[in-house]
Amino acid sequence: MGKKGWTRVIVEKPFGKDLASSEALSSHLSALFCENQLYRIDHYLGKEMVQNLMILRFGNRVWGPIWNRDSIAAVQLTFKEPFGTQGRGGYFDEFGIIRDVLQNHVLQMLTLVAMEKPASTSAEDIRNEKVKVLKSISKLTMEDSVLGQYVGDPNGTGDAKDGYLDDPTVPKDSSTPTFACCVLYIKNERWDGVPFIVKGGKALNERKAEIRIQFRDVPGDIFVPGMIQRNELVIRVQPNEAVYFKMMTKTPGMSFSAEETELDLTYGSRYKGVVMPEAYERLILDVFAGNQMHFVRTDELSEAWRIFTPLLHRIERERPSCIPYVYGSRGPKEADDLINRVGFRFTGTYRWTKPQL
């Protein structure tokens, strides 16, 4: 490389298709560049709410004592798209939803939720803690996963009438999942036994990416059975960035009953007129500044593939039938059954109301 200035190489995903191909790519790159010259870009690490996780966790004392298995029942990380492959199924069919979303975007959010407090805000201290989390996660199994593939809605309009296999670029016998719900466990002192549910899919009922941290039931509940629901801290990554804490309060008026409400920080209301940069803008600026905080290190990538590769190879080897779900739905019912089985409680009684200011 040049004797003057600097060399920084941006590498866009996919970073391989499994552990072996990823390590082959990393080996090739390491023969040409040093680690401090490589910037593996995952644009979710440039999103406002994902970058806010560090401040939210380590800049507020209130969360420290309860951010563990003693207080948290489950963590759910969700990525939903309301559209299908729309003619790019040929590309998607080679990768599927696990490689496209879960192994990278969603897993990166998980590491920031679960990691220990780093020694500083330096890139290496932060990435060291993320790698420690990944090393503590067991390999994913089919038994802890639900795989789905969308079918057309006969009552829908436009693209909603077409299923995944109706895309002319998709093989007619494809068993590639367009939806996956998987449960990961972190075997360390902080998180042992807490399910981390990672879920992603196409052709679902809404566009949404969020982190939902559900706390345990109130011990010694003195109220009417079923009245008190679990607290939740929700970080909405997109759209309409927000952080809100779901809590119980007395129903206004003469009654002595309780209802669900929230402490709400909706960015569109609190920070009116503030223009937030796009994720790639932030990250490319970081490259110019030489800041690797929001980029994926080689060992971090290797650990991420270690977790998902056994499941991916089993899917390719056995070609299990995906559970069909209708375009525009919430996904397979079996995913809700899995989530309920591992301890996440969904009641459907709460509705977030966008603030009107």
Side-chain angles (χ1 to χ4, degrees):
M1 297 300 137
K3 295 181 179 179
K4 295 182 179 180
W6 44 257
T7 299
R8 292 168 190 156
V9 181
I10 300 174
V11 185
E12 176 64 278
K13 80 174 184 74
F15 311 122
K17 293 187 66 175
D18 57 12
L19 179 58
S21 60
S22 174
E23 290 191 334
L25 177 60
S26 292
S27 178
H28 178 69
L29 289 171
S30 66
L32 301 172
F33 305 102
C34 299
E35 185 67 42
N36 64 8
Q37 295 175 312
L38 291 172
Y39 290 73
R40 294 179 186 86
I41 196 166
D42 182 330
H43 76 277
Y44 258 63
L45 289 175
K47 288 187 175 291
E48 178 71 27
M49 301 312 295
V50 175
Q51 293 194 354
N52 190 23
L53 283 168
M54 284 275 294
I55 308 295
L56 195 66
R57 281 196 60 192
F58 304 122
N60 294 290
R61 181 164 183 168
V62 64
W63 303 120
I66 61 174
W67 205 267
N68 53 53
R69 62 191 176 94
D70 295 327
S71 298
I72 293 175
V75 179
Q76 185 171 206
L77 303 103
T78 303
F79 176 97
K80 300 169 78 173
E81 289 182 332
F83 50 83
T85 51
Q86 296 179 323
R88 61 183 286 270
Y91 163 81
F92 182 85
D93 200 68
E94 292 185 39
F95 294 92
I97 196 69
I98 296 175
R99 289 185 176 96
D100 196 38
V101 173
L102 298 190
Q103 182 271 341
N104 36 72
H105 302 330
V106 177
L107 192 63
Q108 283 295 318
M109 293 193 294
L110 183 153
T111 61
L112 291 168
V113 170
M115 74 180 193
E116 296 298 317
K117 187 176 184 178
S120 73
T121 56
S122 74
E124 293 314 300
D125 284 342
I126 292 169
R127 298 198 293 184
N128 286 343
E129 295 303 332
K130 291 168 68 181
V131 170
K132 287 180 186 177
V133 169
L134 293 172
K135 284 184 174 181
S136 300
I137 300 177
S138 303
K139 296 174 182 177
L140 189 56
T141 68
M142 188 74 78
E143 291 68 33
D144 283 326
S145 307
V146 170
L147 307 176
Q149 189 180 89
Y150 71 87
V151 297
D153 180 359
N155 300 315
T157 58
D159 291 336
K161 285 183 173 293
D162 295 330
Y164 180 65
L165 298 181
D166 295 320
D167 186 325
T169 64
V170 173
K172 296 306 177 187
D173 63 343
S174 173
S175 59
T176 298
T178 62
F179 174 96
C181 178
C182 308
V183 182
L184 300 172
Y185 290 95
I186 302 172
K187 294 189 175 180
N188 63 18
E189 186 175 7
R190 180 181 296 273
W191 296 115
D192 191 25
V194 177
F196 281 74
I197 302 152
V198 293
K199 183 169 66 172
K202 303 184 78 65
L204 296 173
N205 60 328
E206 60 183 330
R207 173 178 177 258
K208 182 171 72 173
E210 73 171 21
I211 301 161
R212 186 171 294 265
I213 297 155
Q214 186 173 92
F215 292 86
R216 295 191 181 278
D217 293 321
V218 174
D221 186 0
I222 62 174
F223 300 99
V224 175
M227 179 187 293
I228 303 300
Q229 305 298 332
R230 289 178 171 178
N231 299 136
E232 290 182 348
L233 177 66
V234 182
I235 300 101
R236 187 184 302 112
V237 177
Q238 66 180 30
N240 303 320
E241 294 92 340
V243 181
Y244 63 93
F245 184 69
K246 195 174 83 175
M247 57 179 286
M248 303 303 300
T249 188
K250 177 185 173 297
T251 302
M254 295 296 291
S255 72
F256 194 63
S257 59
E259 64 178 47
E260 296 167 278
T261 186
E262 71 283 326
L263 300 176
D264 190 349
L265 169 58
T266 296
Y267 273 47
S269 301
R270 178 64 177 82
Y271 301 112
K272 288 189 175 185
V274 175
V275 178
M276 284 188 276
E278 293 293 326
Y280 278 106
E281 291 181 83
R282 299 175 193 263
L283 295 175
I284 291 172
L285 182 61
D286 282 343
V287 174
F288 282 110
N291 181 5
Q292 292 185 301
M293 180 191 300
H294 304 299
F295 294 85
V296 181
R297 204 168 64 187
T298 299
D299 55 346
E300 187 179 348
L301 178 63
S302 179
E303 288 298 327
W305 278 119
R306 176 193 61 79
I307 295 165
F308 283 95
T309 291
L311 175 63
L312 291 167
H313 283 180
R314 183 172 175 183
I315 292 170
E316 291 166 355
R317 184 175 61 251
E318 300 179 5
R319 293 175 58 84
S321 297
C322 292
I323 300 166
Y325 64 96
V326 176
Y327 194 121
S329 67
R330 294 183 63 248
K333 178 183 177 298
E334 288 80 354
D336 292 333
D337 295 338
L338 172 64
I339 291 168
N340 183 67
R341 175 166 59 83
V342 300
F344 186 92
R345 184 182 300 164
F346 175 74
T347 62
T349 56
Y350 169 80
R351 293 291 183 272
W352 177 80
T353 302
K354 186 176 180 179
Q356 302 295 323
L357 296 177

